[in-house]
Coordinates of all heavy atoms in Angstrom, one line a residue:
M1 N 10.7 18.1 9.8 CA 10.5 17.6 8.4 C 10.1 16.1 8.5 O 10.5 15.4 9.3 CB 11.9 17.8 7.7 CG 11.8 17.6 6.3 SD 11.2 19.2 5.5 CE 11.1 18.7 3.9
S2 N 9.3 15.7 7.5 CA 8.9 14.3 7.5 C 9.1 13.8 6.0 O 9.2 14.6 5.1 CB 7.4 14.2 7.9 OG 6.6 14.9 7.0
K3 N 9.1 12.5 6.0 CA 9.3 11.8 4.7 C 8.3 10.7 4.5 O 8.0 10.0 5.5 CB 10.7 11.3 4.6 CG 11.1 10.7 3.2 CD 12.6 10.5 3.1 CE 12.9 9.9 1.7 NZ 14.2 9.5 1.6
S4 N 7.7 10.6 3.3 CA 6.7 9.6 3.0 C 7.3 8.4 2.3 O 8.2 8.5 1.5 CB 5.6 10.2 2.1 OG 5.0 11.2 2.8
F5 N 6.7 7.2 2.6 CA 7.2 6.0 2.0 C 6.0 5.1 1.7 O 4.9 5.2 2.4 CB 8.0 5.2 3.0 CG 9.2 5.9 3.5 CD1 9.1 6.7 4.7 CD2 10.4 5.8 2.9 CE1 10.2 7.4 5.2 CE2 11.5 6.5 3.3 CZ 11.5 7.3 4.5
S6 N 6.1 4.3 0.7 CA 5.0 3.3 0.3 C 5.7 2.0 -0.1 O 6.6 2.0 -0.9 CB 4.2 3.9 -0.8 OG 3.1 3.0 -1.1
F7 N 5.3 0.9 0.6 CA 5.8 -0.4 0.3 C 4.7 -1.4 0.1 O 3.7 -1.4 0.8 CB 6.8 -0.8 1.4 CG 7.9 0.1 1.7 CD1 7.9 0.9 2.8 CD2 9.0 0.1 0.9 CE1 8.9 1.8 3.1 CE2 10.1 0.9 1.1 CZ 10.0 1.8 2.2
P8 N 4.9 -2.4 -0.8 CA 4.0 -3.5 -0.9 C 4.1 -4.4 0.3 O 5.1 -4.6 0.8 CB 4.4 -4.2 -2.2 CG 5.8 -3.9 -2.4 CD 6.0 -2.5 -1.7
N9 N 2.9 -5.0 0.6 CA 2.9 -6.0 1.7 C 3.0 -7.4 1.0 O 2.4 -7.6 -0.1 CB 1.7 -5.9 2.5 CG 1.7 -4.7 3.4 OD1 2.7 -4.0 3.5 ND2 0.5 -4.4 4.0
V10 N 3.6 -8.3 1.6 CA 3.8 -9.7 1.1 C 3.2 -10.7 2.0 O 3.5 -10.7 3.2 CB 5.3 -10.0 0.8 CG1 5.5 -11.3 0.3 CG2 5.9 -8.9 -0.1
G11 N 2.4 -11.6 1.5 CA 1.9 -12.7 2.3 C 0.7 -12.4 3.2 O 0.5 -13.2 4.1
T12 N 0.1 -11.3 3.0 CA -1.1 -10.9 3.8 C -2.2 -10.5 2.9 O -2.1 -10.2 1.7 CB -0.7 -9.7 4.7 OG1 -0.3 -8.6 3.9 CG2 0.4 -10.0 5.7
C13 N -3.4 -10.3 3.6 CA -4.6 -9.8 2.9 C -4.4 -8.3 2.5 O -4.9 -7.9 1.4 CB -5.8 -9.9 3.7 SG -6.2 -11.6 4.3
S14 N -3.7 -7.6 3.3 CA -3.4 -6.2 3.0 C -2.4 -6.1 1.8 O -1.6 -7.0 1.7 CB -2.9 -5.4 4.2 OG -1.7 -6.0 4.7
K15 N -2.5 -5.1 1.1 CA -1.7 -4.9 -0.2 C -0.5 -4.0 0.0 O 0.5 -4.1 -0.7 CB -2.5 -4.5 -1.3 CG -3.7 -5.4 -1.6 CD -3.2 -6.8 -2.0 CE -4.3 -7.8 -2.2 NZ -3.9 -9.2 -2.0
Q16 N -0.6 -3.0 0.8 CA 0.4 -1.9 0.8 C 0.4 -1.2 2.2 O -0.6 -1.1 2.8 CB 0.0 -0.9 -0.3 CG 1.0 0.3 -0.4 CD 0.5 1.1 -1.6 OE1 0.4 0.6 -2.7 NE2 0.3 2.4 -1.4
T17 N 1.6 -0.7 2.6 CA 1.7 0.2 3.7 C 2.3 1.5 3.3 O 3.3 1.6 2.7 CB 2.7 -0.5 4.8 OG1 2.2 -1.8 5.1 CG2 2.8 0.3 6.0
N18 N 1.6 2.6 3.7 CA 2.0 3.9 3.5 C 2.4 4.5 4.8 O 1.7 4.5 5.8 CB 0.9 4.8 2.9 CG 0.4 4.2 1.6 OD1 1.1 3.7 0.8 ND2 -0.9 4.2 1.4
I19 N 3.6 5.1 4.8 CA 4.2 5.5 6.1 C 4.7 7.0 5.9 O 5.3 7.3 4.9 CB 5.5 4.6 6.4 CG1 5.0 3.2 6.6 CG2 6.2 5.2 7.7 CD1 6.2 2.2 6.6
V20 N 4.5 7.8 7.0 CA 5.1 9.1 7.1 C 5.9 9.1 8.4 O 5.4 8.9 9.5 CB 4.1 10.2 7.1 CG1 4.8 11.6 7.2 CG2 3.2 10.2 5.8
L21 N 7.2 9.3 8.2 CA 8.2 9.3 9.4 C 8.8 10.7 9.5 O 9.1 11.4 8.5 CB 9.3 8.4 9.2 CG 9.0 6.9 9.4 CD1 10.3 6.1 9.2 CD2 8.5 6.6 10.8
N22 N 8.9 11.2 10.8 CA 9.6 12.4 11.1 C 11.1 12.2 11.1 O 11.5 11.0 11.3 CB 9.0 13.0 12.4 CG 7.6 13.4 12.3 OD1 7.1 14.0 11.3 ND2 6.8 13.1 13.3
D23 N 11.8 13.2 11.0 CA 13.3 13.1 11.1 C 13.8 12.4 12.3 O 14.8 11.8 12.3 CB 14.0 14.5 11.0 CG 13.8 15.1 9.6 OD1 13.6 14.3 8.6 OD2 13.9 16.3 9.4
D24 N 13.1 12.5 13.4 CA 13.5 11.9 14.7 C 13.0 10.5 14.8 O 13.1 9.9 15.9 CB 13.1 12.7 15.9 CG 11.6 12.8 16.1 OD1 10.8 12.3 15.2 OD2 11.1 13.4 17.1
H25 N 12.5 9.9 13.7 CA 12.0 8.5 13.6 C 10.7 8.3 14.2 O 10.3 7.1 14.4 CB 13.0 7.5 14.1 CG 14.3 7.5 13.3 ND1 15.3 6.6 13.6 CD2 14.8 8.2 12.3 CE1 16.3 6.8 12.8 NE2 16.0 7.8 12.0
T26 N 10.0 9.4 14.7 CA 8.6 9.2 15.2 C 7.7 9.0 14.0 O 7.9 9.6 12.9 CB 8.1 10.3 16.1 OG1 8.2 11.5 15.3 CG2 8.9 10.4 17.4
I27 N 6.7 8.2 14.2 CA 5.7 7.9 13.2 C 4.7 9.0 13.2 O 4.0 9.2 14.2 CB 5.0 6.5 13.5 CG1 6.1 5.4 13.4 CG2 3.9 6.3 12.5 CD1 5.6 4.1 13.9
E28 N 4.6 9.7 12.0 CA 3.6 10.7 11.8 C 2.2 10.0 11.5 O 1.2 10.4 12.0 CB 4.0 11.7 10.8 CG 3.0 12.8 10.5 CD 2.9 13.7 11.7 OE1 3.8 13.9 12.5 OE2 1.7 14.3 11.8
S29 N 2.3 9.1 10.6 CA 1.1 8.3 10.2 C 1.5 7.0 9.5 O 2.6 6.9 8.9 CB 0.2 9.2 9.3 OG 0.8 9.4 8.0
I30 N 0.5 6.1 9.6 CA 0.7 4.8 8.9 C -0.7 4.5 8.4 O -1.7 4.6 9.1 CB 1.1 3.7 9.8 CG1 2.6 3.9 10.1 CG2 1.0 2.3 9.1 CD1 3.3 2.7 10.8
E31 N -0.8 4.1 7.1 CA -2.0 3.6 6.5 C -1.8 2.3 5.8 O -0.8 2.1 5.1 CB -2.5 4.6 5.4 CG -3.7 4.1 4.7 CD -4.0 4.9 3.4 OE1 -3.1 5.5 2.8 OE2 -5.2 4.9 3.0
V32 N -2.6 1.3 6.2 CA -2.5 0.0 5.5 C -3.6 -0.2 4.6 O -4.8 0.0 5.0 CB -2.4 -1.2 6.6 CG1 -2.3 -2.5 5.9 CG2 -1.3 -0.9 7.6
V33 N -3.4 -0.5 3.3 CA -4.4 -0.6 2.3 C -4.8 -2.1 2.2 O -4.0 -3.0 2.0 CB -3.8 -0.1 0.9 CG1 -4.9 -0.3 -0.2 CG2 -3.4 1.3 1.0
G34 N -6.1 -2.3 2.4 CA -6.6 -3.7 2.4 C -6.6 -4.3 3.8 O -6.3 -3.6 4.7
G35 N -6.8 -5.5 3.9 CA -6.8 -6.2 5.2 C -8.0 -5.9 6.1 O -9.0 -5.5 5.6
C36 N -7.8 -6.1 7.3 CA -8.9 -6.0 8.3 C -9.0 -4.5 8.7 O -8.3 -4.0 9.6 CB -8.7 -6.8 9.6 SG -8.5 -8.6 9.2
N37 N -9.9 -3.8 8.0 CA -10.0 -2.3 8.1 C -10.0 -1.7 9.5 O -9.1 -0.9 9.8 CB -11.2 -1.9 7.3 CG -11.3 -0.4 7.2 OD1 -11.8 0.3 8.0 ND2 -10.7 0.1 6.1
G38 N -10.9 -2.2 10.4 CA -11.0 -1.6 11.7 C -9.7 -1.9 12.5 O -9.2 -1.0 13.2
N39 N -9.2 -3.1 12.5 CA -8.0 -3.5 13.3 C -6.8 -2.6 12.8 O -6.1 -2.2 13.6 CB -7.7 -5.0 13.1 CG -8.7 -5.8 13.9 OD1 -9.3 -5.4 14.8 ND2 -8.9 -7.0 13.4
L40 N -6.7 -2.5 11.5 CA -5.5 -1.8 11.0 C -5.6 -0.3 11.3 O -4.6 0.4 11.5 CB -5.3 -2.1 9.5 CG -4.9 -3.5 9.3 CD1 -5.0 -3.9 7.8 CD2 -3.5 -3.8 9.8
K41 N -6.8 0.3 11.2 CA -7.0 1.7 11.6 C -6.6 1.9 13.1 O -6.0 2.8 13.5 CB -8.4 2.1 11.4 CG -8.8 2.4 10.0 CD -10.2 2.9 9.9 CE -10.6 3.1 8.4 NZ -12.1 3.5 8.4
G42 N -7.0 0.9 13.9 CA -6.7 1.0 15.4 C -5.2 0.9 15.6 O -4.6 1.7 16.4
I43 N -4.5 0.0 14.9 CA -3.1 -0.2 15.0 C -2.4 1.1 14.6 O -1.5 1.6 15.2 CB -2.6 -1.4 14.2 CG1 -3.0 -2.7 14.9 CG2 -1.0 -1.3 14.1 CD1 -2.8 -3.9 14.0
S44 N -2.9 1.7 13.5 CA -2.3 2.9 13.0 C -2.4 4.1 14.0 O -1.4 4.8 14.2 CB -2.9 3.3 11.6 OG -2.7 2.3 10.6
R45 N -3.5 4.2 14.6 CA -3.7 5.2 15.7 C -2.8 5.0 16.9 O -2.2 5.9 17.4 CB -5.1 5.3 16.1 CG -6.0 5.9 15.1 CD -7.4 6.0 15.6 NE -8.3 6.5 14.6 CZ -9.6 6.7 14.8 NH1 -10.2 6.3 15.9 NH2 -10.4 7.2 13.8
L46 N -2.6 3.7 17.2 CA -1.7 3.4 18.4 C -0.3 3.7 18.1 O 0.5 4.1 18.9 CB -1.8 1.9 18.8 CG -3.2 1.5 19.4 CD1 -3.3 0.0 19.5 CD2 -3.3 2.2 20.8
L47 N 0.1 3.6 16.8 CA 1.5 3.8 16.4 C 1.9 5.3 16.2 O 3.1 5.6 16.3 CB 1.8 3.1 15.1 CG 1.8 1.5 15.2 CD1 2.0 0.9 13.8 CD2 2.8 1.0 16.1
K48 N 0.9 6.1 16.0 CA 1.2 7.6 15.8 C 1.9 8.1 17.0 O 1.5 8.0 18.1 CB -0.1 8.3 15.5 CG 0.2 9.8 15.2 CD -1.0 10.5 14.8 CE -0.6 12.0 14.5 NZ -1.7 12.7 13.9
G49 N 3.1 8.8 16.7 CA 3.9 9.4 17.8 C 4.9 8.4 18.4 O 5.8 8.9 19.1
M50 N 4.8 7.1 18.1 CA 5.8 6.2 18.6 C 7.1 6.2 17.7 O 7.0 6.4 16.5 CB 5.2 4.8 18.5 CG 6.0 3.7 19.1 SD 5.2 2.0 19.0 CE 3.9 2.2 20.2
K51 N 8.2 5.9 18.4 CA 9.4 5.7 17.6 C 9.3 4.5 16.7 O 8.8 3.5 17.2 CB 10.6 5.6 18.5 CG 11.0 6.8 19.3 CD 11.8 7.8 18.4 CE 12.4 8.9 19.2 NZ 13.1 9.8 18.4
A52 N 9.8 4.6 15.5 CA 9.7 3.5 14.6 C 10.4 2.2 15.1 O 9.9 1.1 15.0 CB 10.3 3.9 13.2
E53 N 11.5 2.5 15.8 CA 12.3 1.3 16.4 C 11.5 0.6 17.4 O 11.5 -0.6 17.5 CB 13.6 1.8 17.0 CG 14.6 2.4 15.9 CD 14.4 3.9 15.6 OE1 13.4 4.5 16.0 OE2 15.2 4.4 14.9
D54 N 10.7 1.3 18.2 CA 9.9 0.7 19.3 C 8.7 -0.1 18.6 O 8.4 -1.2 19.1 CB 9.3 1.8 20.2 CG 10.4 2.4 21.0 OD1 11.4 1.8 21.2 OD2 10.1 3.6 21.5
A55 N 8.1 0.5 17.6 CA 7.0 -0.2 16.9 C 7.5 -1.5 16.2 O 6.9 -2.6 16.3 CB 6.4 0.7 15.8
I56 N 8.7 -1.5 15.7 CA 9.3 -2.7 15.1 C 9.5 -3.7 16.1 O 9.2 -4.9 15.9 CB 10.7 -2.3 14.4 CG1 10.4 -1.4 13.1 CG2 11.5 -3.6 14.0 CD1 11.7 -0.7 12.6
A57 N 10.1 -3.3 17.3 CA 10.4 -4.3 18.3 C 9.1 -5.0 18.8 O 9.1 -6.1 19.2 CB 11.1 -3.6 19.5
R58 N 8.0 -4.2 18.9 CA 6.7 -4.8 19.4 C 6.0 -5.7 18.4 O 5.3 -6.6 18.8 CB 5.8 -3.6 19.8 CG 6.2 -2.9 21.0 CD 5.3 -1.8 21.3 NE 5.9 -1.0 22.4 CZ 5.1 -0.5 23.4 NH1 3.8 -0.5 23.3 NH2 5.6 0.2 24.4
M59 N 6.2 -5.4 17.1 CA 5.3 -6.1 16.1 C 6.1 -7.1 15.2 O 5.4 -8.0 14.7 CB 4.7 -5.1 15.2 CG 3.7 -4.2 15.9 SD 2.8 -3.1 14.8 CE 4.1 -2.3 13.9
E60 N 7.4 -7.0 15.1 CA 8.1 -7.9 14.2 C 8.0 -9.3 14.7 O 8.0 -9.7 15.8 CB 9.6 -7.5 14.2 CG 10.4 -8.2 13.2 CD 11.8 -7.7 13.1 OE1 12.4 -7.3 14.2 OE2 12.4 -7.6 12.0
G61 N 7.7 -10.2 13.7 CA 7.6 -11.6 14.0 C 6.1 -12.1 14.3 O 5.9 -13.3 14.5
T62 N 5.2 -11.2 14.4 CA 3.8 -11.5 14.6 C 3.3 -12.3 13.4 O 3.5 -11.9 12.3 CB 2.9 -10.3 14.8 OG1 3.5 -9.5 15.9 CG2 1.5 -10.6 15.1
T63 N 2.6 -13.4 13.7 CA 2.0 -14.2 12.6 C 0.5 -14.1 12.6 O -0.1 -13.7 13.5 CB 2.4 -15.7 12.8 OG1 1.9 -16.2 14.0 CG2 3.9 -15.9 12.7
C64 N -0.1 -14.6 11.5 CA -1.6 -14.5 11.3 C -2.0 -15.9 10.9 O -1.7 -16.4 9.8 CB -2.0 -13.5 10.3 SG -3.8 -13.4 10.0
G65 N -2.6 -16.7 11.9 CA -3.0 -18.0 11.6 C -1.8 -18.9 11.1 O -0.8 -18.8 11.8
P66 N -1.9 -19.6 10.1 CA -0.8 -20.4 9.6 C 0.3 -19.7 8.8 O 1.3 -20.2 8.5 CB -1.5 -21.5 8.8 CG -2.7 -20.8 8.2 CD -3.1 -19.9 9.3
R67 N 0.0 -18.4 8.5 CA 0.9 -17.6 7.7 C 2.2 -17.3 8.5 O 2.1 -17.0 9.7 CB 0.3 -16.3 7.3 CG -0.9 -16.6 6.3 CD -1.5 -15.3 6.0 NE -2.7 -15.5 5.2 CZ -3.7 -14.7 5.0 NH1 -3.5 -13.4 5.4 NH2 -4.7 -15.0 4.3
P68 N 3.3 -17.2 7.9 CA 4.5 -16.8 8.6 C 4.7 -15.3 8.9 O 5.7 -14.9 9.4 CB 5.7 -17.3 7.7 CG 5.0 -17.3 6.3 CD 3.6 -17.6 6.5
T69 N 3.7 -14.6 8.5 CA 3.7 -13.1 8.6 C 2.3 -12.6 9.0 O 1.4 -13.4 9.1 CB 4.3 -12.4 7.3 OG1 4.5 -11.0 7.6 CG2 3.3 -12.6 6.2
S70 N 2.2 -11.3 9.1 CA 0.9 -10.7 9.4 C 1.0 -9.2 9.0 O 2.0 -8.7 8.7 CB 0.6 -10.8 10.9 OG 1.5 -10.0 11.6
C71 N -0.2 -8.5 9.1 CA -0.1 -7.1 8.8 C 0.8 -6.4 9.8 O 1.6 -5.5 9.3 CB -1.6 -6.5 8.8 SG -2.6 -7.2 7.5
P72 N 0.7 -6.6 11.1 CA 1.7 -5.9 12.0 C 3.2 -6.3 11.6 O 4.0 -5.4 11.7 CB 1.3 -6.4 13.4 CG -0.1 -6.8 13.3 CD -0.3 -7.3 11.9
D73 N 3.4 -7.5 11.3 CA 4.8 -7.9 10.9 C 5.2 -7.2 9.6 O 6.3 -6.7 9.5 CB 4.9 -9.4 10.7 CG 6.3 -9.9 10.3 OD1 7.2 -9.6 11.1 OD2 6.4 -10.6 9.3
Q74 N 4.3 -7.0 8.7 CA 4.6 -6.3 7.4 C 4.8 -4.8 7.7 O 5.7 -4.2 7.1 CB 3.4 -6.4 6.4 CG 3.4 -7.8 5.8 CD 4.6 -8.2 5.0 OE1 5.0 -7.6 4.1 NE2 5.3 -9.3 5.5
I75 N 4.1 -4.2 8.7 CA 4.3 -2.8 9.1 C 5.7 -2.7 9.6 O 6.5 -1.8 9.2 CB 3.3 -2.4 10.1 CG1 1.9 -2.3 9.5 CG2 3.7 -1.0 10.7 CD1 0.8 -2.0 10.5
A76 N 6.1 -3.7 10.5 CA 7.5 -3.7 11.0 C 8.5 -3.8 9.9 O 9.5 -3.0 9.9 CB 7.6 -4.8 12.1
K77 N 8.4 -4.7 9.0 CA 9.3 -4.9 7.9 C 9.4 -3.6 7.1 O 10.5 -3.2 6.7 CB 8.9 -6.1 7.0 CG 9.1 -7.4 7.7 CD 8.7 -8.5 6.8 CE 8.7 -9.9 7.5 NZ 9.9 -10.3 8.0
N78 N 8.3 -3.0 6.8 CA 8.3 -1.8 6.0 C 8.8 -0.6 6.7 O 9.4 0.3 6.1 CB 6.8 -1.5 5.5 CG 6.5 -2.6 4.4 OD1 7.3 -3.1 3.7 ND2 5.2 -2.9 4.3
L79 N 8.6 -0.5 8.1 CA 9.3 0.5 8.8 C 10.8 0.4 8.8 O 11.5 1.4 8.7 CB 8.8 0.5 10.3 CG 7.4 1.1 10.6 CD1 7.0 0.7 12.0 CD2 7.5 2.6 10.4
K80 N 11.3 -0.8 8.8 CA 12.7 -1.1 8.7 C 13.2 -0.5 7.4 O 14.3 0.1 7.3 CB 13.1 -2.6 8.8 CG 13.1 -3.1 10.2 CD 13.6 -4.5 10.2 CE 14.1 -4.9 11.5 NZ 14.6 -6.3 11.5
K81 N 12.5 -0.8 6.3 CA 12.9 -0.3 4.9 C 12.9 1.2 4.9 O 13.8 1.8 4.4 CB 11.9 -0.8 3.9 CG 12.0 -2.3 3.6 CD 10.9 -2.8 2.6 CE 10.8 -4.2 2.5 NZ 9.7 -4.6 1.6
A82 N 11.9 1.8 5.5 CA 11.8 3.3 5.6 C 13.0 3.9 6.3 O 13.6 4.8 5.9 CB 10.5 3.7 6.2
L83 N 13.3 3.3 7.5 CA 14.5 3.8 8.2 C 15.8 3.7 7.4 O 16.6 4.6 7.5 CB 14.6 3.0 9.5 CG 13.5 3.3 10.6 CD1 13.7 2.4 11.8 CD2 13.6 4.8 11.1
A84 N 15.9 2.6 6.7 CA 17.1 2.4 5.8 C 17.2 3.4 4.7 O 18.3 3.8 4.3 CB 17.1 1.0 5.2
E85 N 16.1 4.0 4.3 CA 16.0 5.0 3.2 C 16.1 6.4 3.7 O 16.2 7.3 3.0 CB 14.8 4.8 2.4 CG 14.8 3.6 1.6 CD 13.6 3.5 0.6 OE1 12.9 4.5 0.4 OE2 13.3 2.3 0.2
M86 N 16.1 6.6 5.1 CA 16.1 8.0 5.6 C 17.5 8.6 5.5 O 18.5 7.9 5.6 CB 15.6 8.0 7.0 CG 14.1 7.9 7.0 SD 13.3 8.3 8.6 CE 13.3 10.1 8.5

């Protein structure tokens, strides 16, 4: 069984992260709306099948230029929110 989530992104060019997580916390899919299209599609493909906790550990705290966050950091923050709601 899987569950879908959608969260707004804050402080990035991208606007929203759509997540589908399986019951065992593996990522079924991630879609980031807005932002650097090709890079975010690539990141989404790399994350498919990965445990959400592992993805969070790898991406959390990543910055983009002078910004204190980034699209990968927002994915990590939104994965944490999704896990909290499961």
Side-chain angles (χ1 to χ4, degrees):
M1 193 82 185
S2 60
K3 189 169 179 185
S4 299
F5 304 89
S6 185
F7 300 104
N9 292 348
V10 178
T12 61
C13 300
S14 61
K15 303 298 177 202
Q16 180 175 306
T17 303
N18 301 319
I19 300 167
V20 179
L21 285 180
N22 296 315
D23 288 339
D24 65 356
H25 297 184
T26 56
I27 297 167
E28 181 64 31
S29 68
I30 290 191
E31 175 194 24
V32 181
V33 179
C36 301
N37 188 273
N39 289 333
L40 292 169
K41 283 181 183 175
I43 290 170
S44 296
R45 287 182 181 179
L46 289 169
L47 294 175
K48 185 174 180 169
M50 185 182 287
K51 290 280 192 182
E53 294 85 351
D54 293 336
I56 291 164
R58 290 178 184 215
M59 296 187 305
E60 190 173 37
T62 303
T63 59
C64 182
R67 297 177 186 168
T69 190
S70 66
C71 293
D73 184 55
Q74 289 298 299
I75 293 170
K77 289 178 186 305
N78 291 329
L79 281 168
K80 278 185 163 182
K81 291 176 190 175
L83 288 173
E85 291 184 18
M86 286 194 79

